[in-house]
Amino acid sequence: MPDTKRGRERKGRMKRAQRRQYEIEQAVEARDRELDFDELYEDVEIELDL
C-alpha cells in the first residue's frame, strides 16, 4: 500500500496526542510523589554541623 500524505498527517497527530497524554500522566505522577518532609521526619531529630 502506498504511503499517503493524509496517512502521515494522521499518524503524526496520533503521536502528538499520545505524547501529550504521556506528559500529562508523568506530571500527575510526579505531583503525587512529592513528599511532605515535615510530616515524614516529624519524629526524627537531626543535628547539623555547620
Side-chain angles (χ1 to χ4, degrees):
M1 176 177 267
D3 188 23
T4 63
K5 183 177 180 182
R6 181 172 183 257
R8 287 191 307 270
E9 291 171 348
R10 186 181 318 157
K11 185 176 181 180
R13 278 195 299 271
M14 292 299 295
K15 291 290 184 184
R16 283 190 294 277
Q18 288 173 343
R19 189 177 320 120
R20 257 193 310 268
Q21 183 64 31
Y22 175 78
E23 290 171 352
I24 290 169
E25 289 172 2
Q26 292 300 312
V28 168
E29 288 176 13
R31 184 191 64 197
D32 291 344
R33 279 194 305 258
E34 290 181 10
L35 299 175
D36 182 9
F37 287 102
D38 292 333
E39 181 180 309
L40 186 63
Y41 294 109
E42 69 184 33
D43 296 332
V44 177
E45 290 193 27
I46 300 173
E47 289 185 28
L48 297 177
D49 294 328
L50 300 175

